[in-house]
Structure formats: C-alpha cells, structure tokens
Amino acid sequence: MFLILKNANIINVYTGEILEGNIGIKDDKIVFVDYYDTIDLNEFKNAKTLDLNGKFVSPTFIDAHIHIESSHVIPSEFEKYALLNGVSKVVIDPHEIVNVLGIKGIEFMLNDAHILDVYCMIPSCVPATELETSGAKITSKDIENLFKNEKYKNKILGLGEVMNYIGVINGDEEILEKINIAKKYGKLIDGHAPQLTGLNLNKYIGTGIMSDHECTTEEEALEKIRLGLKLMIREGTASKNINILKIRDKINDIRNIMLVSDDISIKDLKNGYLINTLKKATKYVSPVEAIQMITINPANYFGFDIGIKPSNNADLIIFEDLTDFKINKVMIKGKFLEEYGLFVGALQHTHHTNHNKYNNYIKYNSMNYSYKSEEDFLIEGIDINIEPKKSARIIEPIKDSLITKEIILNVSETIDKLNKNELNRIYVIERHKGTNRIGKGLIHFLKKGVIASSYAHDSHNVVVVGNNLKDIAIAVNHLKDINGGFVVVENGKILESVQLNIAGLMGCDGEHIYKKIESIERKTENHVLYDTNLFLTLSFLTLSVIPELKITDFGLVKNNKVVDLVF
C-alpha cells in the first residue's frame, strides 16, 4: 500500500528545522520526503492521501535508559502504553530482573514485547556491591558470551551503567575486565557516577565510560559533558533532574544531551511518559531541540538510523501542536497503531489470557525466607540492651532525589521519637538465598502504617518501613504468600496489596496493576511525610551505591561500607 501524508509540518531532527512538506510511504518504509513541491503527487495513482492540514510530524521517540521493571509490568504490557505515547524504541538495563534471575532475565526482557523495539545494555554490576545479597551473579565470561551470541548481536548494544565507580577508579580487576570486554567487541559503555568530579572523574572516563545519567547539579553536568560524556538528563518518577537543561544557556551544542526516564511508574507511563518530559524540557530549550534529545541524539549514540528520510522505517508521530504535544496518531512501520491487533478496539490486556508463557517465572519461588515474628525485628541497642548515652544513625530521604542524608540522634531521643511515631523502623529481608538475614535501620519517612515491597534496588530484597512490629511481620509474611509485590498494613489489617509474581518485580496485566497501585496511592495519601511516589521512593532506600546513608540486608551502608546503627 502507498500512503501520502500531505501538508505536514515536518520536524527535521537532522537540521533542527520545521519544514512544510509531504511524505510518501510504501508498506513499512519512507519512499520520499518532499520539502519543495517538486514531486507530483498525482503520479501515485493508487495512493491513499491523508491531508494533515499543518499538523506536525516527528520521528517516534527513543528512551535511551530505562528499567522497564520500574513500571511493574512485563515488556509486552509496557509496550502498549509506550507506543501510545510515541515511544518505539527503548534501551533497557534489565538490572532488576537480572539481580533475581540472572541471564534468563535478560532473555525474557528481550523477547517478550511484540512491536516495541527493545535493546539491552548488559548489567555490569550484578550484584551491585558486595554489601548486599542478590539472586544471581553476572561474570565477565557471561558478558562476553552474550556479546558473542549471534541471536542477540543486534539487540545487545553494550555494558550497562557501571555503578561501581569506586572500583573503576581504584583499579578493581573484575569491573575493568568487563569494561575491556565491551571495548574488545566494540560495544558502548554506560556510566553511573553521582557527584564524581575532578581527577577521579577523569580516571573514570579514561577507562572508556561513555555516558552518565546521575547529574543533579548544573556544575556536575557541565563538567561531565565538557569531558566528553554523553549526558543523559533523567526525568523519571522518583528522580527529576530536568532543571539541568539550564546548561543550554552555557553551551553551543546539544548533540550530546539525551532525555531519559531511568525509572517510571505505571501511572506516569500510562499518562504521558516522554511526552511529559518534552513539555517540561521546553521551559529550557526549543520544542525541536527537546525532540532531538529523544530522537536523533540517542540514535547517534546507539547507532540507530532514525529520522524522516527515504529508506527509513515509517515510524512517525503526528502532533496537533508543539506546546502540549498532543498526539493525533502514531505510526510504526507504516501502520497506524489501531491497525495492530494489540490496539484493536479497547487497549487489549492479558488478565484473562493464557499465562502458560509465564508459568516458569510465576512458579519460581522468589520469596525464599521463613515466616517472621515480631521478635525478628527487635533492634539491638534500641529495643533490647538499650544504651541511652550512645548515638543512632537515621536515614533522611530527600524529595525528588535518590540521595539521602544521615542524621545522628542520641539513643534516648531516638526511642522517644519512635514512641511518638516521629521516626520509623526500616528493615531489609534477604529473599534469594534463604539466609534469613535482616538489615535493620531507622528512617524519617511515614506518618503512620506499614509498607513493604519486594522491588528494592539493587538486589531486590524485601524492604519494609513502619513502627508496629506486628504489622511489620504481617506485611513481610504476606509478600511471601503472594510471591512478591507491594502491601500496606495498618492496625493488624492489610489495607491493599499488589501481586508482582514475575520475579517479585512485575505482573502480567497492566490495567489491573495500574488500578491496584492507584488504590494503594489513595489509601496511603496521608501516610507519607511528603508528596512522592511511595513505593518507587521506597525502592531507592536500599540503593547502596548512592550517597549518603542507605540500607541492605547487611545493614546500614555509608560510603561503601557497612556501619553500625547504634554507636
């Protein structure tokens, strides 16, 4: 079939222009782009013509760094929302599922979607550190075998975010070997270096690191981009750094800037995804520049041939405007989304379909710990063998950031605040190896109730926050019963829970999970101390590679070392 999109305002991501023109499409490919009215459209006798009357046409979007697992839906559900919001390619770091399932997690994530192009960066740090327990380990040999695997040679693009920046700087042989293997096979190497600066940053880049998505200040971003790193500006659900685009006033070239999500909730995925990022970006850059940052800029980094030109796939978005970026239609490989089976009638979801495809993952016991009692959560120095003159470390989260602060209180004041519910308990229960290890800490986070989750960076052990020991035990035991997910408990009752029985991270029905999480948000809107995505924020409290004070199943972690809660 031949289709002509007539009277379009074409967003040319190669030149940064908006040009009037016509686009000819045959089957799945662009045949011509006519900016000068030199092509007689009457020559195409059997062509179908769609008059856009000045609507804007852009290439579809690329999310250059995303953990699909953060949406808590499997790729074949994730794609339904992504495509509707104009995202046709994602470059994933399946760090979450690989920490649980290993290499078979990579294979699952690459093969589950139907239309969405899913590319992969192999997780470089599984486990992320030696200060936590993961369900699997990815070695240098595993990475090399994946790079050599013919089946995935066009899908596996490089080495995922190198979080062990301390190891890189200090010459750790294992992480350097992984970097050298990536270079050997001509693969990309993504970075992850929060607050790294000066000589140490130069050393890190000098090993071959190519990108970074952890900037939180303009100064940090400028230093990194001036040293040649590709700058991924993150605007996700939990961490929002779009204000870094202010650096546009200080630089003359935006080609090395990309906009990424990193982590995104099912709510944000459904209600705009990268469209919301575009809207925010236009406060700092032009609409066309913002679009370039999620099309041609990541395409150039990853080696994708995208854009509106002859021979390329007809992957297009038709916009009503470039203010709200309201989407009129999305085309993938020459077909509008409504022509695909996934989008016939109402958005089709898998809640009532046969789940045989996922049985091996559902049956997998991902909650490998014993049932807990209240006594398991008593804290030495706080509940038993109390030493009032000693001090206690408290985790203080920072709104819209992955970074936390450390607060020091004396034990007497700590106990008083716990009794007044002005502080909470936080625990991490090891769920992979059956060790039953529990890391114990204190935090300033909830006003009331108990929340627990089996989705917790990086190793995805179970994390639970609250004060009532009975409710804490109920929450942890319920997650074991449902094979993973989220739960809210208050006064001995389960207020709401969501089952995520694919590795304790994801479920198979996006709309069901969306509604359940909406229900949790309604029922917990008065529980948390500040406006935030409760469970996504909770998941980052265990991210030990980010400053300042975090918690794993080994206990409190500060500056890459386990430290005492009471000292």
Side-chain angles (χ1 to χ4, degrees), residues 285-300:
V285 299
S286 72
V288 174
E289 285 179 317
I291 288 171
Q292 286 175 309
M293 291 175 186
I294 51 174
T295 55
I296 194 66
N297 292 4
N300 286 340

Side-chain angles (χ1 to χ4, degrees), residues 333-565:
K333 295 180 181 176
K335 293 166 63 176
F336 292 115
L337 289 187
E338 57 265 31
E339 299 176 68
Y340 285 93
L342 290 178
F343 299 94
V344 172
L347 185 61
Q348 299 299 305
H349 290 272
T350 58
H351 192 52
H352 300 293
T353 61
N354 190 324
H355 281 176
N356 288 339
K357 179 178 178 182
Y358 305 108
N359 275 347
N360 288 337
Y361 299 95
I362 292 172
K363 290 177 181 176
Y364 168 75
N365 176 19
S366 59
M367 299 293 115
N368 189 17
Y369 55 84
S370 62
Y371 287 101
K372 304 301 178 191
S373 66
E374 295 176 44
E375 289 73 23
D376 292 315
F377 299 105
L378 295 175
I379 298 174
E380 183 77 20
I382 300 293
D383 300 310
I384 52 178
N385 301 322
I386 299 170
E387 300 185 64
K389 293 184 180 180
K390 286 198 170 185
S391 298
R393 303 177 198 271
I394 315 297
I395 300 171
E396 179 76 16
I398 299 173
K399 189 178 185 302
D400 292 337
S401 176
L402 306 189
I403 295 171
T404 62
K405 294 179 182 177
E406 177 190 51
I407 295 175
I408 306 294
L409 298 176
N410 66 52
V411 167
S412 295
E413 186 179 1
T414 299
I415 293 172
D416 182 57
K417 286 183 175 291
L418 277 172
N419 291 336
K420 293 177 179 176
N421 211 40
E422 293 174 2
L423 286 180
N424 316 123
R425 303 161 180 273
I426 181 169
Y427 303 93
V428 176
I429 298 93
E430 194 278 311
R431 73 164 169 113
H432 304 294
K433 307 293 187 183
T435 66
N436 284 304
R437 184 184 296 113
I438 301 178
K440 300 179 180 182
L442 300 169
I443 191 168
H444 186 226
F445 191 53
L446 293 179
K447 295 178 185 176
K448 60 180 181 177
V450 168
I451 59 171
S453 170
S454 59
Y455 183 93
H457 297 283
D458 274 315
S459 291
H460 298 283
N461 290 301
V462 167
V463 59
V464 57
V465 174
N467 275 359
N468 186 299
L469 294 180
K470 179 182 177 182
D471 288 352
I472 287 169
I474 289 171
V476 170
N477 293 338
H478 181 71
L479 289 186
K480 180 175 175 64
D481 287 338
I482 65 173
N483 204 23
F486 304 146
V487 63
V488 181
V489 181
E490 192 170 354
N491 299 324
K493 295 182 179 179
I494 295 172
L495 298 187
E496 186 62 277
S497 69
V498 180
Q499 185 180 54
L500 302 174
N501 53 4
I502 304 294
L505 306 174
M506 297 173 286
C508 298
D509 185 336
E511 287 300 285
H512 174 73
I513 290 169
Y514 176 78
K515 289 172 184 174
K516 282 291 227 175
I517 290 178
E518 268 200 325
S519 175
I520 278 187
E521 289 180 351
R522 286 195 304 271
K523 292 175 181 178
T524 59
E525 62 183 353
N526 296 317
H527 284 58
V528 73
L529 289 169
Y530 54 88
D531 181 33
T532 187
N533 183 285
L534 184 60
F535 281 94
L536 202 51
T537 301
L538 178 67
S539 75
F540 288 115
L541 297 174
T542 60
L543 186 56
S544 62
V545 295
I546 297 284
E548 178 173 51
L549 188 65
K550 296 296 175 75
I551 184 169
T552 74
D553 60 303
F554 280 60
L556 293 177
V557 176
K558 180 182 179 181
N559 298 328
N560 295 287
K561 293 179 181 178
V562 175
V563 295
D564 291 330
L565 169 58

Side-chain angles (χ1 to χ4, degrees), residues 68-82:
I68 283 179
E69 303 98 315
S70 64
S71 68
H72 307 303
V73 293
I74 56 178
S76 55
E77 287 292 282
F78 178 94
E79 70 176 333
K80 297 169 187 177
Y81 304 106

Side-chain angles (χ1 to χ4, degrees), residues 27-46:
D27 298 326
D28 60 342
K29 301 291 184 184
I30 296 171
V31 175
F32 68 78
V33 183
D34 180 19
Y35 292 122
Y36 306 104
D37 282 331
T38 58
I39 297 174
D40 183 0
L41 302 184
N42 293 319
E43 290 184 18
F44 303 92
K45 303 293 184 186
N46 298 317

